[in-house]
Amino acid sequence: MKKGKKQAKRRNANVTMAFGIREKIVLCFLVPVLFMIVLGIISYRKAADGMSSSYRDSTQQTIEMALQNIDTSNSFISAEALKYVVDSDLGKYFVGIYDNDPTSKRALIDQVKTRILASQVGNSYISNIYIIPSGDLQMISTKSKAQKGIYQEYMDEMAADGKLGQWDDHHNALDEYLSIDPSGYIMVYQATAQNGKAVIVIDIKAEAVTEFMQGLNLGDGSIVGFVTAGGRELAVKRNAGDEQGTPVEGETIFADKDFYLQASETDGVSQVQYNGTEYLFFHSKSEDTGATMCALVPLKVITGQAESIKQITIAGVLISSIIALLIGTAVTSGIRKNMKRISGSLEVVAEGNLATTVSVKGRDEFRGLAAAANDMIAHNKQLVQKVSQATDKLAASAGEVTNASGIIQEYSQDIANAIGEINEGMERQSTHAQECVSKTGTLSEEIQEVNRVAREVETLVSEAEEMIRKGMDRIEQLGQRANETTAVTAKVEESIEDLKRESETINQFVSVITDISEQTNLLSLNASIEAARAGEAGRGFAVVAEEIRKLADNSAEAAGEIRNNVENISAQTGVSVESAKQAGEMVAQQTEAVREVIGVFQDMSDAMDKLFDGLKEILAGTERADKEREDTLEAVHNISSIIEETAASAEVVKKVAASLEQNVENLNGTAESLGDNMTGLKTEIAVFKTE
């Protein structure tokens, strides 16, 4: 008995010094946490790359659509200038037809000024409109001050810049002449009348372009700019917490910077450094005006969401590690307590006290182990009692005990082997379950990423659809104005034809006057001849005849001048008729182009509707997939927990089976020695306490 106690203490000491169950279970919990850390790092990098690519594309599209919006407004302004170019009343004013009719001239000026003021109020992009005629004619503009004599100076300036009849961003002569603040406009559209007698100038309001850029939200710290071909710039910066951008004043952000000057002629994205901070530089150049819409977006805005994923992953790993430690500690604490209870009870039994019982807490495999130990103690107790009562039969039973112990040993080995195979299967199942958890988590993040991107695309499609709708409304208005212009051109053509017919009538009158003048000359000549014949008595009649001849000569001379003027008017009328026809054809082509553009916008709107419906279906599908993924992930976690608990219990049972096998071997030795030590056995049995 003393030798058995020493061996038991030695085994307990070896178990205490070895790598314990608690450390093993905690290590098993920390291994998946390590995989979660690796998965989080990979997910963060992939998310950062994907977000950067998606953000580049969406922001570039936003810049291009913003430029298209401004170009559309500019096309309306050029159409507005065209109205005054082809206006027939203004054409008469430019060539001086109203110079001899001050009342009509004043009425025309007032009427045109009312029209340009209405256009200025109706179009938020128009700052001022100037109709500058040549010569000493009065300039008509939205400015209250009426001026003359600026035509030649303006044309000289535009010719020097090479911008005549195109978009420009300044008119210094006009600014100085009318005391105009150049900061009030950002671009200038100019059109020359067909007869070359006037130029129409329309200023683009800088405030309207600034307000439009204030509505573009590209993230905190982003800067949106509009730079003309000549280098004039408007910029808006969005600070953190601002609902809209703040105009940048007194500083040039883009126009004089190397990254802007070295940018491509079309559209593009590049990474640049501005004021010591890394930015993405987006730019898109207009083919019509030469202006560039550009933006600077901080890189931290693009990777901000990826940073949040990184922080969430770190927090999740820390929480998982803490939970793993707590659960591992709680599980191992329960296991260690039950093991101490069982080992303590078995030590008492080993000392010979068979009256004790083994008790544990919980409803796991330890309860079955405790029941098995109690059964073993009870059986040993009964065995000792029977041995005490029947020592004489012990010798005969020793052989049977030896045989039975051999069978038990074989069963114990079979049990140990079976438990080992079960334990290996449990470990493989646990590995597969962990892999399933990892893949399910990856699938969850990808589904959530697809859901987020789909929602962003849905927002962009809604904005694009709204822009298309506004574009269709403006194109339809342009079509209506083109139809009105066509009607006015037709009326102008009819008026010129009527003027031509009236000129022919005047020619007929001139022919009649010429004939009358010739007849009058003949009569005057006859009268002079008759007066000469009458002598002194016909002198008075000769004077009258001379005056009649002079009158006839004056009439013939006046008729010649009238004929020359009528011929000039007829020639001018022919040119005007041809110009009116050309204007009519241009307006017809413009109307047809407007109709085609309306059709294109309608097709784009239909395509956007289909895309929007498809996005809704994608969002619904990803939401359903995410719900099913959550259920699957929860089930896999439950299965993994059960497998781990079963594996731990199987390991304990395996150890108990090994211990039982060892005890059976000891029992064999004891059975063999029973036959030789019957007397000593009775003495030893007296040591056991059964009550």
Side-chain angles (χ1 to χ4, degrees), residues 257-392:
K257 301 299 185 295
D258 291 338
F259 60 80
Y260 173 82
L261 299 175
Q262 297 173 1
S264 62
E265 290 295 326
T266 55
D267 304 334
V269 183
S270 59
Q271 184 172 338
V272 300
Q273 190 174 49
Y274 174 71
N275 289 342
T277 304
E278 295 293 330
Y279 287 85
L280 279 183
F281 173 55
F282 300 86
H283 59 91
S284 180
K285 187 172 183 179
S286 172
E287 296 180 357
D288 297 331
T289 64
T292 302
M293 178 68 71
C294 45
L296 286 174
V297 180
L299 282 179
K300 63 180 181 181
V301 173
I302 302 174
T303 59
Q305 295 179 349
E307 288 293 333
S308 64
I309 293 176
K310 179 180 178 181
Q311 295 174 0
I312 292 173
T313 303
I314 294 173
V317 169
L318 292 177
I319 294 173
S320 301
S321 301
I322 294 172
I323 293 175
L325 289 173
L326 293 177
I327 294 176
T329 302
V331 171
T332 55
S333 176
I335 294 174
R336 288 168 65 88
K337 289 180 181 178
N338 285 331
M339 291 291 292
K340 286 181 179 180
R341 293 189 184 99
I342 293 173
S343 63
S345 299
L346 292 179
E347 286 178 359
V348 174
V349 172
E351 291 174 357
N353 187 3
L354 299 178
T356 187
T357 58
V358 179
S359 62
V360 295
K361 292 183 179 181
R363 297 181 179 274
D364 52 12
E365 288 77 0
F366 283 106
R367 180 176 291 276
L369 181 61
N374 287 327
D375 291 340
M376 184 185 68
I377 293 172
H379 292 161
N380 289 333
K381 181 178 179 181
Q382 293 176 2
L383 178 62
V384 171
Q385 290 175 348
K386 289 181 180 180
V387 170
S388 297
Q389 297 173 359
T391 55
D392 295 336

Side-chain angles (χ1 to χ4, degrees), residues 111-132:
Q111 178 186 5
V112 173
K113 186 164 187 177
T114 301
R115 287 171 56 190
I116 62 177
L117 288 173
S119 298
Q120 180 189 34
V121 174
N123 191 334
S124 61
Y125 277 82
I126 295 179
S127 175
N128 283 300
I129 300 176
Y130 314 93
I131 300 176
I132 309 172

Side-chain angles (χ1 to χ4, degrees), residues 116-192:
I116 62 177
L117 288 173
S119 298
Q120 180 189 34
V121 174
N123 191 334
S124 61
Y125 277 82
I126 295 179
S127 175
N128 283 300
I129 300 176
Y130 314 93
I131 300 176
I132 309 172
S134 61
D136 294 332
L137 292 176
Q138 177 180 333
M139 179 175 62
I140 306 173
S141 71
T142 52
K143 302 290 287 184
S144 59
K145 186 177 181 181
Q147 298 288 344
K148 299 180 182 180
I150 189 62
Y151 176 81
Q152 192 58 47
E153 290 83 348
Y154 184 86
M155 296 298 287
D156 291 342
E157 179 185 355
M158 294 299 104
D161 293 343
K163 297 291 186 178
L164 190 59
Q166 301 178 12
W167 287 93
D168 203 351
D169 58 5
H170 68 279
H171 40 53
N172 298 330
L174 193 60
D175 294 343
E176 182 179 356
Y177 199 73
L178 296 179
S179 300
I180 298 172
D181 184 4
S183 63
Y185 65 91
I186 186 62
M187 285 198 306
V188 177
Y189 181 77
Q190 48 205 357
T192 305

Side-chain angles (χ1 to χ4, degrees), residues 578-632:
E578 185 63 26
S579 299
K581 289 181 179 179
Q582 292 177 359
E585 292 175 356
M586 291 174 60
V587 171
Q589 293 175 359
Q590 180 183 6
T591 304
E592 182 63 26
V594 169
R595 291 176 182 171
E596 293 178 356
V597 171
I598 291 175
V600 172
F601 270 93
Q602 186 62 46
D603 293 340
M604 290 173 64
S605 178
D606 295 339
M608 284 297 177
D609 291 338
K610 293 180 180 178
L611 178 59
F612 193 70
D613 295 337
L615 287 174
K616 288 184 178 178
E617 294 179 1
I618 291 173
L619 288 175
T622 53
E623 290 176 356
R624 290 194 299 271
D626 190 58
K627 181 61 173 63
E628 294 175 358
R629 187 271 313 162
E630 291 177 356
D631 297 338
T632 303

